[in-house]
Amino acid sequence: MGPTPGLRRTSRILVVASDGAALLFFTAAPDSSRFARWITPGGGVDPGETHAQAAVRELFEETGLEVDNVGASIHSFDFDVRWDEADHDRGHAVYYVLRVAERFEPSNANWTPDEHVDVTAHRWATADDLESGTEPFEPAHLPDLIRLAARSV
């Protein structure tokens, strides 16, 4: 069974340390493949939320960091969803940047039950780290986004 027609709006946050490394989570796709890849913190926009409000909420839920706002978005793109158990067939992601002075250990205290299953690791990685490694990441242009985020703040 394939995804049902519909659009899922998401907000993603590029949390970038002063050394240019971004915080990433290793997560399994929410389908029968369980394909694992590195992604930025973030998630779905709830009804009534703006992308920026969702980014602030998701940042807290996934890392424990509390901020009042995440500023202007730096990138957005549309994509097709290919998960066999998805409740949507299209996505729209909006990316924000949060600069931190140094790398930190994210808190999982506010994760959903699914996140405790799907997220298996975290790390700080530069664009070069991703490009020189063999592990998958999403989106395909994530190294370019990390470079843009490192320059934009």
Side-chain angles (χ1 to χ4, degrees), residues 28-87:
D31 71 358
S32 64
S33 76
R34 301 300 289 166
F35 172 72
R37 74 279 193 222
W38 291 100
I39 63 171
T40 66
V45 177
D46 289 341
E49 273 186 324
T50 66
H51 277 280
Q53 289 167 334
V56 168
R57 177 183 50 76
E58 288 285 343
L59 180 68
F60 173 70
E61 290 173 0
E62 295 191 0
T63 70
L65 291 180
E66 290 187 74
V67 298
D68 292 332
N69 69 68
V70 288
S73 65
I74 65 159
H75 180 70
S76 66
F77 73 101
D78 297 314
F79 55 95
D80 291 328
V81 174
R82 301 190 193 321
W83 304 328
D84 60 10
E85 297 175 16
D87 62 356

Side-chain angles (χ1 to χ4, degrees), residues 5 22 25 35 70 90 92 97 105 109 120 123 125:
F25 292 112
F35 172 72
V70 288
R90 294 170 291 122
H92 177 74
V97 175
E105 185 73 18
T120 59
R123 77 179 216 193

